[in-house]
Amino acid sequence: MKVRVKRWYQAILSALLTILGFEACSVGSDGDDDPIVCEYGMPFATYNLKGTVTDETGKPIEGIKTSVKYVFDRPTGETEAWGIDSVKTDADGQYKLQTDDIHNDIRLIVEDVDGMANGGQFRSDTLSIDRSKAVKTAEGDGNWYMGTFEIRNNIKMKKDEADTPDA
């Protein structure tokens, strides 16, 4: 009777630990003494988001704020954005942001935060980042780290209608 109770106890405990994400690790299955490497986590990669921000004529715009945000839907139906990083474009309109992405919906937000200083007031824009267009630039470690990827997004900003003088 004790053996049956002990066996049921071990089965239930094993099932519970498996559900919680724990596994038993031991020596290799072929009988050698090399241990099996067990990891707990999920795959991730480094994404470099790069590009140029220009006006409608193709002229680079300096001082545009570019931000990376994770966007997710709450169970209440509300959408929430969680900021990761932001930089302003340089004199050539270039920006570069980096994120270790494990989330599904990442957006790039571009905003004219300096008003007329960069040649006019431009409308803000939001772009969804398409990871299928990512180009691998460095290999991962063979475990959870998948490597480094680059995604280019060149953005043309439109002038704000309020910025144009009345005729």
Side-chain angles (χ1 to χ4, degrees), residues 48-52 94-97 150-154:
N48 291 316
L49 307 173
K50 297 179 174 183
T52 306
Q94 301 284 320
Y95 70 91
K96 180 181 177 186
L97 294 159
E150 182 177 298
I151 301 174
R152 280 201 158 283
N153 283 305
N154 294 325

Side-chain angles (χ1 to χ4, degrees), residues 3-19:
V3 174
R4 276 192 200 166
V5 172
K6 189 175 182 181
R7 201 175 281 167
W8 275 102
Y9 176 75
Q10 288 175 341
I12 291 170
L13 187 59
S14 294
L16 180 63
L17 291 174
T18 301
I19 289 170

Side-chain angles (χ1 to χ4, degrees), residues 44-49 68-70 82-85 96-103 106-107 129 131 145 147-149 151:
F44 71 99
T46 300
Y47 286 87
N48 291 316
L49 307 173
V68 177
K69 294 189 179 186
Y70 296 137
W82 191 13
I84 304 301
D85 196 8
K96 180 181 177 186
L97 294 159
Q98 186 177 56
T99 181
D100 292 333
D101 166 43
I102 57 171
H103 298 278
I106 296 177
R107 303 226 178 118
I129 302 299
R131 283 180 287 179
Y145 181 60
T148 303
F149 294 83
I151 301 174

Side-chain angles (χ1 to χ4, degrees), residues 49 65-72 79-86 97-99 101 103-111 125-129:
L49 307 173
K65 179 181 175 186
T66 57
S67 307
V68 177
K69 294 189 179 186
Y70 296 137
V71 178
F72 57 94
T79 300
E80 189 170 330
W82 191 13
I84 304 301
D85 196 8
S86 64
L97 294 159
Q98 186 177 56
T99 181
D101 166 43
H103 298 278
N104 292 331
D105 199 4
I106 296 177
R107 303 226 178 118
L108 178 68
I109 293 125
V110 289
E111 302 171 275
D125 200 0
T126 302
L127 303 163
S128 288
I129 302 299

